[in-house]
Amino acid sequence: MTVWDRPEPPTRPAPLDRERIVAAAIALADEGGLEAVSLRKVAARLDAGPMRLYGYISTKEELFDLMVDEVHAEILPEEEPGDWREALHVLAHRTRQAALRHEWLADLLGGRPALGPNALAVTEATLAALDGVADLDTVMRAVETVSAYFTGAIRREIAHLRAERATGLSEREWQRASGPHVMRMLATGRFPALAKVVHDGTDVDAEASFATGLDWVLDAVAAKLARPPA
Amino acid sequence: MTVWDRPEPPTRPAPLDRERIVAAAIALADEGGLEAVSLRKVAARLDAGPMRLYGYISTKEELFDLMVDEVHAEILPEEEPGDWREALHVLAHRTRQAALRHEWLADLLGGRPALGPNALAVTEATLAALDGVADLDTVMRAVETVSAYFTGAIRREIAHLRAERATGLSEREWQRASGPHVMRMLATGRFPALAKVVHDGTDVDAEASFATGLDWVLDAVAAKLARPPA
DNA sequence: ATTTTCCGGAGACGGTGTATCGCAACAGTA
DNA sequence: TACTGTTGCGATACACCGTCTCCGGAAAAT
């Protein structure tokens, strides 16, 4: 049995780790949305069989959890905030930016408790910035209220963005020109207030409206922090 | 060919309509979550083949849209609100109640623009209640900010509820006793602020915290409505 | 009564997440 | 060096999914 007879040994499988798996999944999701992420396709990107992944994750949901946590690394601000308000402001905007980079994040945001190390680090940084400005319960209420706002706002923004992209029109144009269903509804006269909005409303910049709503909520929080709960 | 030779004609298929289809889908989702809704199972509930549904909907996503709109019929308040604040308050709470009855709503809320007749009616009622209290842009900002808040808050509440149900423990107990991962993280000392919260925080009633956050946001809106934008 | 139209449903296709299990490559031992 | 034990990869399999195609038979039209 000379060398010439022996086939070259099969290239050892490329080493795997969660990091590479998550990176592949995120790449897939960035390109084709969450539904483009299948264990088979993720594995294929890594020149592996689908079952190989089950050594690193035990369910597809866990993969999603890892993806969400990975993005939280992008969300974590790199420098200390000046005060609590800046901290919450920056957190909201960085989350939004991350969602614009990774639109699938909108589908996952708030869908499950985020307990990965990066998500915990983000929470820690936020709580640290609010430490001492009020009693614990008030601080929690503040953080949760603000995150509820930006979670919901981001979800809606991405949903509208997708709808626009699907029709190729801005939403208001679409409502007016290409949304025959909505137009028919408005034409019935059963929705006068809505009709006024569609007719007279101005298209507002998504980021501006996000920022404005956020400021309102932050104002509300400021008011509560100033005067501790009755 | 006597009667005896001829088989009885097959019972004509039960008549279908979207209402019955959506009702079956909602029942399925109420029992087993969104993932329990498959076109095959919905059709089976109606003694029909899966393909029959395609006469009424052309995609599974459309079925979800119909389900969401159907629930909006439960959300629409039956009586006129006293003022704008009550309108938004009631809208938020009714949406939350609907999500508690139909937990799958949390997975869909905000995921796509809601343009069905019932959703439009809800929007119309809300806008009508705010008509005239400020200029159109401010009104829109108010509605969107409040809905962003309660959308996000509902999603988080349902997510926590599911997590608790999955472990059989309240979240704080779970973090303390049965969430070894989180406990190990806290033990590292890298999350002092978070540790304080887990250690000292009190379990708060979900509804109360929802209501409190909502009141804060409504206070903020009130402040902006009083003083039109600079 | 005959033809035409139409629609429900059987089957197929290409995918999915996951369980099972045999095999082959390594590590450790005699 | 020969053997053995363990580990973990990956082929195969299963049950199910959303959706397409197409055929048979009932209803409607002639």
Side-chain angles (χ1 to χ4, degrees):
Chain A
M1 187 73 120
T2 75
V3 217
W4 315 112
D5 300 318
R6 267 180 286 121
E8 246 190 296
T11 49
R12 292 277 66 219
L16 268 195
D17 51 38
R18 286 193 186 164
E19 200 180 341
R20 280 168 46 80
I21 293 174
V22 172
I26 289 180
L28 240 13
D30 286 346
E31 292 163 19
L34 252 204
E35 81 216 324
V37 177
S38 84
L39 297 184
R40 288 168 149 91
K41 283 191 276 206
V42 170
R45 284 231 170 183
L46 303 164
D47 290 315
M51 285 306 113
R52 182 105 176 266
L53 303 183
Y54 279 82
Y56 304 86
I57 56 173
S58 59
T59 218
K60 196 190 184 179
E61 287 226 311
E62 288 189 3
L63 177 58
F64 286 161
D65 289 346
L66 291 176
M67 291 167 68
V68 169
D69 197 65
E70 184 63 30
V71 174
H72 273 85
E74 300 177 22
I75 292 173
L76 185 68
E78 52 262 336
E79 46 190 276
E80 299 268 316
D83 62 354
W84 67 265
R85 181 160 185 146
E86 187 189 334
L88 291 177
H89 180 95
V90 168
L91 170 65
H93 275 92
R94 288 182 75 93
T95 306
R96 176 170 176 273
Q97 291 299 334
L100 291 175
R101 276 192 300 273
H102 310 288
E103 288 183 15
W104 48 269
L105 186 61
D107 302 315
L108 265 21
L109 254 190
R112 267 138 131 355
L115 300 172
N118 292 318
L120 289 185
V122 168
T123 307
E124 169 67 22
T126 308
L127 289 177
L130 279 153
D131 191 47
V133 301
D135 64 295
L136 235 174
D137 281 349
T138 306
V139 165
M140 289 305 292
R141 209 61 36 86
V143 172
E144 290 185 0
T145 301
V146 173
S147 8
Y149 166 75
F150 71 66
T151 295
I154 288 170
R155 246 172 102 77
R156 190 193 37 229
E157 181 174 344
I158 301 287
H160 282 199
L161 200 146
R162 283 170 175 159
E164 287 182 10
R165 190 151 48 216
T167 61
L169 294 167
S170 94
E171 189 192 353
R172 299 198 60 266
E173 281 180 23
W174 160 81
Q175 284 175 343
R176 245 205 234 92
S178 155
H181 160 67
V182 175
M183 287 320 287
R184 234 180 307 114
M185 283 303 203
L186 293 186
T188 64
R190 286 161 46 207
F191 306 100
L194 225 176
K196 195 166 91 179
V197 167
V198 172
H199 187 267
D200 298 344
T202 57
D203 248 333
V204 284
D205 178 51
E207 170 154 17
S209 112
F210 179 84
T212 307
L214 178 61
D215 274 340
W216 290 17
V217 175
L218 289 176
D219 285 349
V221 170
K224 304 303 166 180
L225 291 184
R227 242 167 281 102
Chain B
M1 187 70 119
T2 76
V3 216
W4 315 113
D5 301 315
R6 267 180 287 124
E8 248 191 293
T11 50
R12 291 278 67 219
L16 270 192
D17 51 37
R18 286 192 187 164
E19 200 180 339
R20 278 168 48 79
I21 293 174
V22 172
I26 288 179
L28 240 13
D30 286 346
E31 291 162 21
L34 253 203
E35 82 216 323
V37 178
S38 82
L39 296 185
R40 287 168 148 93
K41 283 191 277 205
V42 170
R45 284 229 169 185
L46 303 165
D47 289 315
M51 283 308 111
R52 182 105 178 267
L53 303 183
Y54 280 82
Y56 304 85
I57 55 171
S58 60
T59 220
K60 196 190 185 179
E61 286 226 313
E62 288 190 0
L63 176 58
F64 286 160
D65 289 345
L66 290 177
M67 292 168 66
V68 169
D69 197 63
E70 185 62 31
V71 174
H72 273 84
E74 301 178 22
I75 291 172
L76 185 67
E78 52 262 336
E79 46 189 277
E80 298 268 315
D83 62 353
W84 67 264
R85 181 159 185 148
E86 188 190 333
L88 290 177
H89 180 94
V90 168
L91 171 65
H93 275 93
R94 289 183 74 94
T95 305
R96 176 170 174 273
Q97 292 299 334
L100 290 175
R101 276 192 300 272
H102 310 288
E103 289 183 14
W104 49 269
L105 186 62
D107 303 316
L108 265 19
L109 254 189
R112 265 137 124 5
L115 299 173
N118 292 316
L120 288 185
V122 169
T123 307
E124 169 68 22
T126 307
L127 289 177
L130 280 154
D131 191 47
V133 302
D135 64 294
L136 235 173
D137 281 350
T138 306
V139 165
M140 288 306 291
R141 207 61 35 86
V143 172
E144 291 186 358
T145 301
V146 173
S147 12
Y149 165 75
F150 71 67
T151 295
I154 289 171
R155 246 172 101 79
R156 190 194 35 228
E157 181 174 343
I158 301 287
H160 283 199
L161 200 146
R162 283 172 177 158
E164 286 182 11
R165 190 151 47 215
T167 62
L169 294 167
S170 92
E171 189 193 353
R172 299 199 58 264
E173 283 179 20
W174 161 80
Q175 284 176 344
R176 245 205 232 94
S178 155
H181 160 65
V182 174
M183 288 318 289
R184 233 181 306 114
M185 283 303 200
L186 294 185
T188 63
R190 284 160 49 206
F191 306 99
L194 223 176
K196 194 166 93 178
V197 168
V198 172
H199 187 268
D200 298 343
T202 57
D203 248 334
V204 284
D205 178 50
E207 170 154 18
S209 111
F210 178 84
T212 306
L214 178 61
D215 274 340
W216 290 17
V217 175
L218 289 177
D219 285 349
V221 170
K224 304 304 165 180
L225 291 184
R227 244 166 281 100

